């Protein structure tokens, strides 16, 4: 058995030796000349000079040994559709999609924006881009038109791939009107939108830029598109994520480092083996979907289960029945989903045959103790919390059972994963924290393979945002608080910036504020996250109106609050909608005009906001207190 401590130590002390060995997990068309090019810190170029292709490694490479094994099992409880694709089928579908994209002008290095619901074509589109050497950028289907337009303008895609509609909880969401609005708003709208027509939308739009996929697929049915051999450090994708500003960052990832990191994580962290079946209940619009619905299971020769639907429809037993039916070995989701399932009849869980299941992985937000205890007792299987970010692409903290099954510690996702030189640092001095001292979770240079290369199109922003925020040190900041114990276990204590986490979805409070501010009645707004028993956090908005009288009576206030929620739906998407809107006449600010967000969040959770020597007018605090009092009006 490997020992965690030595394994981790080697990865930090001799990263070149460590990762050279791991690189053998994937096919290199041309071997790399250097394991790690450190010539330009904080940038790190892994496997420089090597040529490979993510699609080849995820699909083609398995054709010799597992062509008839299922690669992708698709289940939609929204449409009742279930499909299975063997590796041979997946290969054929990806070639068709790649040929169609190529016929529409997509070339190596071009961006393709993918705005799709959870349908198999989303996986084909991602892998087709990888095959062609095009850079995919998946935009979560829950984002509204202005958010989509902003991403279009940043990525400047050659092609957009979308569908007629998505569906959630039995409700059909028309996509074409959203796409149309985004196309009109964007300055860099692509000439064409490739449309997967699921025939779900009652009224699908017919714009001249829309081209139907199905006839083109027929045309290219027997196509074979060769894989482009990319240098390891060419970009594979851009995935937008929220930060402190209202402008989402395009997290850019490479090809070779990502492939190696994911393949290694499958063994060391997930204990997944070729032939296993993995069900990751997330969305392809998030990093968990990119890494553990699509790439990692396929790189490892596993079967991946893709699910469209909620965990409670038709009933709360659906996921457990999927485990039984598809003999699922590994499952991965967010704690919110488990908190939702906890409210369901436990008989639903017990009635399914879960004997195939080995481990449940949870990530994306803190795993609270009652939820952890409930689910591990109910399943009788190990539950593995793991901590990471869009930026890192794979776990930073976990009990790495494929290395050594260290004991779990309640409330902690575990110890630093191999490859990560993770150090907690004092926010003022930048010095390493003592054991038990709260600090910012940082990573020392170089970040291991698989982590973000840069911010798309903005190296300066990458350096400034991530590598210059800890005083006196050029280290990567996660923007998370944590505390580490004497055995190396880290507990996560929330974000240091204005990012909140609602039901495992990462949202910038600034983005929500900007959406609310676009309403004519609003003078000022502050959005903060507060604890929520199911969703982890909920967004609360405190709004100062231009005309204070506009929300004077409860009926008018309710109407206005609903109008503001609708504005967020339109501007950002329903996922950003605040749980509650409170009207106040002023917001707590410093004398220099900075919003005291942490104080607002503390008050909203009924905590003491602490000393605020710089506050301009303490009366504003009282207003927040009164607004959130249970008896106060919403
Ligand atoms: O604050 C941390 C929280 O989610 C953030 C990253 O979110 P995202 O970019 O969407 O990536 C999710 C990848 C799983 C982190 O900065 N977070 C993530 N995992 C955990 C967590 N907080 C506590 N415990 C976790 N296991």
């Amino acid at each position: 058995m490997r020992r965690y401590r030595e394994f981790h130590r080697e990865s930090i002390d001799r990263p070149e030796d460590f990762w050279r060995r791991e690189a053998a997990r994937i096919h290199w068309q041309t071997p790399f000349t250097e394991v790690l090019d450190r010539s330009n810190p904080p940038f790190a170029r892994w496997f420089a000079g090597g040529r490979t292709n993510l699609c080849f490694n995820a699909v083609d490479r398995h054709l010799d040994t597992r062509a008839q094994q299922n690669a992708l099992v698709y289940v939609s409880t929204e449409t009742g559709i279930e499909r299975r694709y063997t590796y041979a089928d997946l290969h054929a579908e990806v070639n068709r999609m790649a040929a169609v994209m190529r016929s529409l002008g997509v070339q190596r290095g071009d961006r393709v924006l993918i705005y799709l619901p959870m349908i198999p074509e989303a996986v084909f589109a991602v892998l087709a881009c990888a095959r062609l050497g095009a850079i995919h950028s998946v935009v979560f289907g829950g984002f509204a038109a202005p958010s989509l337009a902003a991403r279009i303008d940043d990525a400047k895609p050659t092609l957009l791939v979308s569908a007629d509609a998505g569906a959630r909880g039995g409700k059909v969401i028309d996509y074409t009107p959203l796409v149309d609005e985004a196309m009109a708003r964007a300055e860099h709208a692509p000439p064409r939108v490739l449309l997967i027509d699921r025939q779900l939308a009652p009224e699908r739009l017919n714009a001249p830029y829309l081209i139907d996929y199905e006839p083109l697929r027929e045309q290219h049915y027997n196509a074979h598109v060769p894989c482009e051999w990319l240098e390891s450090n060419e970009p594979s994708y851009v995935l937008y994520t929220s930060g402190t500003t209202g402008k989402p960052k395009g997290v850019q990832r490479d090809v070779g480092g990502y492939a190696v990191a994911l393949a290694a994580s499958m063994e060391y962290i997930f204990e997944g083996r070729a032939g296993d079946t993995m069900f990751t209940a997330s969305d392809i619009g998030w990093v968990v979907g990119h890494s553990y619905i699509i790439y990692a299971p396929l790189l490892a020769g596993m079967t991946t289960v893709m699910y469209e639907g909620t965990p409670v429809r038709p009933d709360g037993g659906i996921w457990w029945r999927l485990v039984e039916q598809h003999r699922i070995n590994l499952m991965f989701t967010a704690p919110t989903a488990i908190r939702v399932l906890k409210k369901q009849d436990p008989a639903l869980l017990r009635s399914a045959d879960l004997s195939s299941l080995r481990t449940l992985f949870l990530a994306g937000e803190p795993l609270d103790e009652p939820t952890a205890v409930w689910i591990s007792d109910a399943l009788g299987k190990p539950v593995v919390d793991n901590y990471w970010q869009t930026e890192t692409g794979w776990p930073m903290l976990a009990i790495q059972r494929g290395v050594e099954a260290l004991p779990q510690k309640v409330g902690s996702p575990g110890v630093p994963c191999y490859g990560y030189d993770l150090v907690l640092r004092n926010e003022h001095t930048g010095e390493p924290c003592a054991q038990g001292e709260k600090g910012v979770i940082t990573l020392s240079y170089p970040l291991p393979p698989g982590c973000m290369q840069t911010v798309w199109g903005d190296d300066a922003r990458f350096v400034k945002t991530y590598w210059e925020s800890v005083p006196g040190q050029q280290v990567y900041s996660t923007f998370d608080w944590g505390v580490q114990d004497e055995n190396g276990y880290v507990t996560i204590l929330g974000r240091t910036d204005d990012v909140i986490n609602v039901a495992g979805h990462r949202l910038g409070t600034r983005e929500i504020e900007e959406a609310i501010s676009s309403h004519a009645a609003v003078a000022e707004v502050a959005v903060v996250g507060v604890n929520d028993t199911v969703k982890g956090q909920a967004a609360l908005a405190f709004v100062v109106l231009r005309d204070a009288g506009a929300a004077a009576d409860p009926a008018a206030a309710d109407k206005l609050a609903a109008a503001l929620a609708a504005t967020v739906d339109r501007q950002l998407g329903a996922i950003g909608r605040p749980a509650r809107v409170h009207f106040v006449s002023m917001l707590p600010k410093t004398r220099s005009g900075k919003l005291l967000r942490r104080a607002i969040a503390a008050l909203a959770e009924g905590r003491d906001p602490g000393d605020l020597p710089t506050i301009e007018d303490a009366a504003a605090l009282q207003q927040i207190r009164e607004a959130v009092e249970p008896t106060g009006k919403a």
Side-chain angles (χ1 to χ4, degrees), residues 241 287-288 363-366 385-390 413 480 492 495 501 506:
T241 192
V287 72
V288 174
E365 52 177 329
D385 185 1
N386 55 111
Y387 158 83
W388 46 296
Q389 314 180 301
T390 304
D480 280 307
I492 311 296
R495 295 278 304 196
N501 204 314
R506 173 166 162 184

Side-chain angles (χ1 to χ4, degrees), residues 334-351:
T336 291
I338 304 301
R339 286 191 291 264
V340 168
L341 289 174
K342 201 168 137 196
K343 300 190 161 184
Q344 305 288 313
D345 182 357
L348 289 167
L349 200 153
R350 282 195 295 268
S351 63

Side-chain angles (χ1 to χ4, degrees), residues 202-282:
E203 290 176 54
R204 89 158 240 213
L205 213 96
N206 266 318
Y209 55 75
L210 283 177
I211 320 166
D212 272 88
Y213 178 59
E214 195 48 42
L216 289 176
R217 174 178 174 271
E218 287 298 320
Q219 232 173 309
H220 295 277
Y221 201 79
N222 296 314
H224 183 85
V225 179
C227 292
E228 281 283 332
W229 298 111
L230 304 177
E231 199 276 336
S232 180
N233 293 279
E234 285 182 57
S236 58
Y237 71 73
V238 176
L239 178 58
Y240 289 90
T241 192
S242 303
T244 296
T245 67
K247 190 174 179 278
K249 293 178 285 242
V251 168
Q252 178 186 317
R253 232 183 285 291
D254 70 356
V255 175
Y258 189 49
V260 170
L262 290 185
S265 77
M266 222 55 213
E267 175 177 344
Y268 298 135
I269 301 172
F270 294 88
E271 289 187 291
R273 297 182 278 270
D276 279 350
T277 298
M278 179 164 191
F279 171 29
T280 298
S282 176

Side-chain angles (χ1 to χ4, degrees), residues 324-576:
E324 177 178 318
Q325 278 161 23
H326 300 284
R327 306 299 297 160
I328 288 166
N329 308 111
L330 306 174
M331 210 170 142
F332 189 175
T333 190
T336 291
I338 304 301
R339 286 191 291 264
V340 168
L341 289 174
K342 201 168 137 196
K343 300 190 161 184
Q344 305 288 313
D345 182 357
L348 289 167
L349 200 153
R350 282 195 295 268
S351 63
D353 171 7
L354 303 178
S355 57
S356 61
L357 187 67
R358 295 201 299 264
T359 316
L360 170 68
F361 296 89
L362 296 172
E365 52 177 329
L367 174 61
D368 55 287
E369 185 176 350
T371 303
V373 169
W374 177 77
I375 191 65
S376 56
D377 286 354
L379 291 175
K381 318 270 176 176
V383 172
V384 177
D385 185 1
N386 55 111
Y387 158 83
W388 46 296
Q389 314 180 301
T390 304
E391 289 84 343
T392 64
W394 59 282
M396 274 182 276
L397 290 173
I399 300 296
Q400 301 136 67
R401 297 169 53 90
V403 178
E404 182 181 354
L406 293 174
Q408 304 256 14
K409 176 180 169 183
V410 176
S412 161
V415 292
C417 293
Y418 57 90
Y420 291 99
D421 189 6
L422 187 145
V423 181
L424 276 84
R425 291 181 183 272
N426 182 288
E427 76 172 307
H428 302 296
T429 65
E431 291 303 316
C433 291
Q435 277 165 19
E437 185 196 343
K438 175 178 170 177
V440 181
I441 302 175
T442 69
L443 303 172
S444 309
Y445 180 82
L447 300 188
C451 292
M452 78 186 290
Q453 291 181 291
T454 186
V455 172
W456 170 254
D458 201 344
D459 286 350
R461 190 174 179 198
F462 172 65
V463 176
K464 187 163 184 304
T465 304
Y466 293 102
W467 294 89
E468 289 177 357
S469 74
V470 175
Q473 312 279 337
Q474 195 175 53
V475 291
Y476 170 91
S477 175
T478 60
F479 297 99
D480 280 307
W481 296 113
V483 59
Q484 192 165 28
D485 74 8
E486 67 280 10
N487 296 315
Y489 288 71
V490 178
T491 301
I492 311 296
L493 302 171
R495 295 278 304 196
T496 67
D497 60 4
D498 299 323
V499 166
I500 59 171
N501 204 314
V502 179
H505 298 330
R506 173 166 162 184
L507 295 166
T509 51
R510 292 280 162 89
E511 291 167 78
I512 305 175
E513 286 171 2
E514 282 181 17
I516 293 176
S517 303
S518 71
H519 193 284
V522 175
E524 271 187 293
V525 54
V527 171
V528 297
V530 295
N531 288 327
D532 182 276
T533 49
V534 175
K535 295 182 169 181
Q537 277 190 304
L540 295 193
F542 295 89
V543 173
V544 179
L545 294 169
R546 286 187 197 282
D547 168 11
D553 67 273
D558 284 352
K559 212 170 135 208
L560 202 48
L564 296 180
T567 305
V568 175
D569 286 6
R570 267 195 316 276
Q571 294 288 323
L572 189 61
I575 54 163

Side-chain angles (χ1 to χ4, degrees), residues 110-113 151-153 155-160 188-191:
D110 287 349
R111 274 77 59 211
V112 174
L113 215 124
R151 286 155 177 78
I152 290 175
D153 280 339
K156 304 185 181 64
T158 307
L159 180 70
L160 200 156
H188 298 278

